[in-house]
Amino acid sequence: MNICFSENIKSFRKQKNLTQEGLADLLGVTFQAVSKWERGESFPDIMLLPVIADLFDVSVDDLLGVDKARNEEEILSVIDKFDNGKYNGTDGALGFVTEAYKKYPSDFRIVVRYLHSLINDSADDRLKNKKEIISIYNRIQDYCTNDRIRIYAKNLIIHYFKPLTRIENSGITAQDMYDIIDTMPAIRDSREVLMSYMPVDELTIKQGCRNLIDDLLYHLHNAIYHFLFYYDLINPEFTTEKVNSAIAGMELMRDIFNKVYTDGNYAKSWRVMIYTYGHLGELYHRIGNRDKAYENLKICAELAKKFDTMPNETERTALFFEGTTLNKQEDVSVYLDTSVCNQMTRYMTKNYRLSDDFKNTPEFQNILSIMK
């Protein structure tokens, strides 16, 4: 049986707003003893356990983490089902994780996923769950001792705050968001960067480099896209000069991806490459180059069809990735069970700024037929 005493006593102490010295004074021990308990280097005398538990208003089992150890298998099952969309029921992710949250309100792995679902539930009404969202976020930051969970929560709240900064009287400003962003780790401190050169064996180094290349290319797309299109998001009137600059940027990104992923297996960036060709088609339409518009929209449709029909496990043969496999469901960023063809059909017919006469041409209708 695993005992979780060290992390529990640290968490309970913080919830009581006690320092190590303060807890030591209350228990009649040295603060060095408390420090060793929290580092897992030693345990208190057995006679002290009921005293400590009583001080924190918990049971000895709670203090030792016995119940947590017993329930670990169930908690891990909940996490797996939530992360991989394996839950059933009409209430979706929020209903599923709410039940787990009621049962394990002090397990921050569950708490942060409940926070995630609350934020998603607020997509149509950003103020709907605001009070509870901020309360849970603060509880994670104040009491959770797991850095990855705390950073996960920060990432969630940053994305939640951005639309709130545009809502009058939301109580959230851009500076509130920037203050949290400023506490996030720099790229050089990330797991992916460190694993690309710190391991001492060749296989681990190579896998770390592969992961970093995939991640960097994915985020490169996002950086280029936001650099080129932020103006478009707030003002749809693009000048010809801006359209040509956007085309040049998107084509540069396309060429980089195709030189790295020479086998046409775009790994984490599958969906962003599909979007890239779709955006290029729309941009060429804006400047009146229909041939290029058809060409890029056709490639977009073909890639969407290829992605939807490719098996979940595929071999990778490009430089850096030869001999590895891609798991479509687990490895592709923003993977959805829904059809990419359906999504791109909707984009082309409803979202992209394509004229009605263009959409009524046989060439465009043939493009749509690829995705049926």
Side-chain angles (χ1 to χ4, degrees), residues 191-207:
R191 173 186 58 192
E192 287 76 15
V193 168
L194 292 171
M195 287 300 290
S196 72
Y197 68 89
M198 288 303 293
V200 294
D201 63 282
E202 181 181 3
L203 289 178
T204 307
I205 282 272
K206 285 186 174 180
Q207 187 56 48

Side-chain angles (χ1 to χ4, degrees), residues 262-280:
T262 52
D263 58 358
N265 191 334
Y266 297 108
K268 175 173 282 193
S269 297
W270 252 106
R271 292 175 71 91
V272 298
M273 278 301 287
I274 294 170
Y275 299 153
T276 295
Y277 282 104
H279 286 307
L280 279 170

